[in-house]
Amino acid sequence: MKQEKIPYKINLTENEIPKSWYNVRADMKTKHRPILNPATMKPVTPADLAPVFCDKLISQELNDKDSWIEIPEEVLNFYRMYRPSPLVRAYFLEKALDTPARIYYKYEGGNTSGSHKLNSAIAQAYYAKEQGLKGVTTETGAGQWGTALSMACGYFGLDCKVYMVKVSSEQKPYRKAVMETYGATVTPSPSDTTQIGRKILADDPDTTGSLGCAISEAVEATVTTEGYRYVLGSVLNQVLIHQSVIGLEAKAAIEKCDEYPDIVIGCAGGGSNLGGLMAPFMADKLAGKKAPYFIAVEPASCPSLTRGKFAYDFCDTGKVTPLAKMYTLGATFIPASNHAGGLRYHGMSPILSQLYHDGYLDEARAVKQRDVFDAAKLFAKVEGLLPAPESAHAIRATIDEAIKCKESGESKAILFGLTGTGYFDMAAYMQYNSGMMEDYVPTDADLERGFAGIPDVVEA
Ligand SMILES: *Cc1c(COP(=O)(O)O)cnc(C)c1O
């Protein structure tokens, strides 16, 4: 029904939470290349993955046939505690920019974990519980994933072991405290609790850690502990499936206002929030029904889509994980330690990588962190929400697109993902406010060092 004036908050009812996730992979014109077992260099089989991942999650990971996957009742019930998340018309931001653009954002930071990561954490914990496992291990970078998983495991009574990138655990002690409150064990990574951690420390005792290295430790801890499986908060196909709940809700809400986005913008670390937000809109594009313009925004200091290679690579530094064909900076790449804005992973979701390679994901844009925090500050002032630095990458691109609309006089509808709250990122905001924040853009030579570690894979 057409509404006179689109409200500030476009709310769905509880009954409008989707009952199924959408698996965009089933509808892609070109499927991404299979992930490979590093021991055989053959496509991984469910049996290869069984020691590492939960069985149901393996079938989701490998599923390129079913467009819709039913959300289990227990997961749906948990979603009811904090979903539907609001879709907000950013009237105040539009006014501040004096733009004819109509800006909408889907806010995922309203739950205690503070980000969209809970959407997948609760699903993954549910399948682990259903399988009768004792616990799960994982890594966390900035801490959002570890926090979300701790909450989900606390809810289902599962053990949760988190390897947290060392520099983050030092910068964000409160994240650790939240995880511990929910019952998780948090180990700064690299640590001396795993073989790979000891090796990484021996090679570089002063390392501040990286996601790739924490993944290696978490996987090792999994396969050496009875009754545990490994779970991951981004990059994987299963995570994009779970995060489709963001896009499905956003689409239902925006269509209620007789709107359809001309531009869809998301920040991209491993690609899960953007993959989830854009999935149902991508379905329209793949079906030739609509042609929204998709933009992935990444930090200039970790530019996997804009400057990376589309190649088979390991998902972790220790090279214990399967190989995925994706945009990558090389598994040994670590962004500069003064980079405060998150999104530090070296690779990108294989689904997003393929869509980008084929031109369905139209544009990747790298932005510098001071520009990102300028955008965060403006947004916080006018919209009243303090955004996570990751989310502020999407805000930056949204503001830039809205300014273009002002210049051209076009009134486009822009939808972006506001993935989280910035309350746990005050160290980064302090750095920005004190003028100490520096931009860092790796040189080609810096990137070459990462590329040198990408394995040579002859594709079948
Ligand atoms: C983890 C995280 C991201 C980036 O991860 P994606 O998988 O690329 O979505 C973005 N925003 C917030 C708040 C996060 O916690």
Side-chain angles (χ1 to χ4, degrees):
M1 215 193 350
K2 181 109 188 155
Q3 298 180 352
E4 273 309 299
K5 183 179 181 212
I6 293 167
Y8 185 81
K9 279 211 190 74
I10 304 139
N11 288 321
L12 297 177
T13 65
E14 215 174 274
N15 284 333
E16 291 171 296
I17 299 175
K19 306 285 183 295
S20 297
W21 292 301
Y22 172 60
N23 178 18
V24 70
R25 189 179 172 204
D27 297 325
M28 283 166 64
K29 308 287 179 205
T30 317
K31 310 289 187 208
H32 69 69
R33 303 288 301 163
I35 48 175
L36 303 180
N37 180 334
T40 60
M41 287 308 213
K42 296 252 165 31
V44 292
T45 62
D48 292 337
L49 295 176
V52 180
F53 292 123
C54 306
D55 298 340
K56 285 273 174 58
L57 293 168
I58 293 171
S59 66
Q60 291 182 2
E61 193 59 31
L62 302 177
N63 188 336
D64 62 2
K65 299 277 185 298
D66 301 314
S67 301
W68 296 96
I69 293 169
E70 196 178 324
I71 303 176
E73 190 59 34
E74 290 85 340
V75 176
L76 205 53
N77 279 338
F78 190 89
Y79 279 172
R80 288 191 174 103
M81 284 197 259
Y82 71 100
R83 307 203 67 84
S85 71
L87 181 78
V88 181
R89 172 78 184 264
Y91 281 115
F92 298 104
L93 181 62
E94 291 170 19
K95 186 155 175 272
L97 299 171
D98 189 23
T99 175
R102 306 183 306 286
I103 303 174
Y104 297 86
Y105 59 88
K106 180 76 169 157
Y107 182 48
E108 291 291 322
N111 67 78
T112 294
S113 83
S115 81
H116 67 285
K117 298 232 168 49
L118 192 56
N119 301 330
S120 184
I122 195 63
Q124 297 196 42
Y126 167 75
Y127 290 117
K129 182 71 183 176
E130 195 199 28
Q131 197 178 322
L133 297 172
K134 188 161 179 293
V136 293
T137 64
T138 198
E139 75 297 320
T140 195
Q144 286 97 324
W145 169 245
T147 307
L149 189 69
S150 302
M151 289 177 68
C153 287
Y155 180 75
F156 284 121
L158 285 166
D159 288 351
C160 181
K161 286 192 202 173
V162 181
Y163 286 87
M164 185 169 188
V165 176
K166 194 191 279 170
V167 58
S168 303
S169 72
E170 285 158 8
Q171 282 174 354
K172 302 184 171 185
Y174 297 137
R175 278 278 176 197
K176 188 165 178 273
V178 179
M179 288 184 251
E180 287 168 349
T181 303
Y182 280 97
T185 321
V186 183
T187 310
S189 166
S191 75
D192 60 7
T193 66
T194 64
Q195 235 172 22
I196 188 74
R198 288 191 290 275
K199 179 173 182 306
I200 291 167
L201 281 173
D203 291 348
D204 182 3
D206 296 326
T207 179
T208 53
S210 71
L211 265 182
C213 152
I215 294 174
S216 305
E217 289 208 86
V219 173
E220 185 184 320
T222 304
V223 294
T224 53
T225 319
E226 185 70 33
Y228 275 70
R229 292 293 184 280
Y230 168 71
V231 294
L232 183 66
S234 184
V235 186
L236 298 177
N237 299 339
Q238 51 186 277
V239 184
L240 266 73
I241 290 173
H242 306 150
Q243 295 298 356
S244 69
V245 68
I246 306 173
L248 292 165
E249 282 182 9
K251 189 160 186 270
I254 206 164
E255 285 180 348
K256 274 195 177 180
C257 314
D258 275 350
E259 279 273 48
Y260 195 92
D262 298 299
I263 307 177
V264 178
I265 299 175
C267 62
S272 75
N273 87 82
L274 176 58
L277 175 67
M278 77 179 186
F281 301 103
M282 185 59 81
D284 289 348
K285 190 163 186 162
L286 289 165
K289 285 193 213 151
K290 296 270 187 186
Y293 187 82
F294 296 108
I295 307 177
V297 192
E298 61 185 11
S301 62
C302 192
S304 52
L305 282 171
T306 50
R307 293 174 71 196
K309 290 206 190 307
F310 189 43
Y312 265 109
D313 196 8
F314 291 95
C315 300
D316 67 321
T317 316
K319 305 191 173 178
V320 298
T321 58
L323 294 136
K325 177 101 185 255
M326 59 183 174
Y327 280 87
T328 178
L329 296 167
T332 54
F333 180 85
I334 298 182
S337 59
N338 69 11
H339 173 66
L343 311 174
R344 308 168 62 98
Y345 188 60
H346 69 274
M348 186 56 65
S349 141
I351 290 177
L352 232 64
S353 292
Q354 190 68 48
L355 288 168
Y356 179 56
H357 191 71
D358 295 342
Y360 289 100
L361 166 54
D362 299 271
E363 184 186 335
R365 194 179 288 183
V367 291
K368 294 191 192 146
Q369 66 176 349
R370 278 190 293 195
D371 296 335
V372 165
F373 279 83
D374 288 347
K377 187 168 172 177
L378 172 66
F379 184 86
K381 273 187 185 167
V382 298
E383 288 289 324
L385 283 172
L386 186 76
E390 292 89 346
S391 321
H393 288 71
I395 299 174
R396 177 73 266 165
T398 298
I399 291 176
D400 293 342
E401 290 305 307
I403 291 171
K404 276 189 214 161
C405 284
K406 183 182 177 183
E407 286 161 2
S408 68
E410 281 176 286
S411 172
K412 291 185 181 170
I414 305 174
L415 168 65
F416 78 91
L418 187 69
T419 50
T421 168
Y423 283 142
F424 290 97
D425 298 282
M426 295 327 293
Y429 275 95
M430 278 162 71
Q431 212 182 331
Y432 170 75
N433 290 334
S434 66
M436 299 293 278
M437 179 167 278
E438 282 171 33
D439 286 327
Y440 170 78
V441 181
T443 63
D444 289 342
D446 292 335
L447 295 187
E448 282 305 325
R449 276 192 290 279
F451 294 150
I454 297 176
D456 271 323
V457 175
V458 184
E459 285 185 41

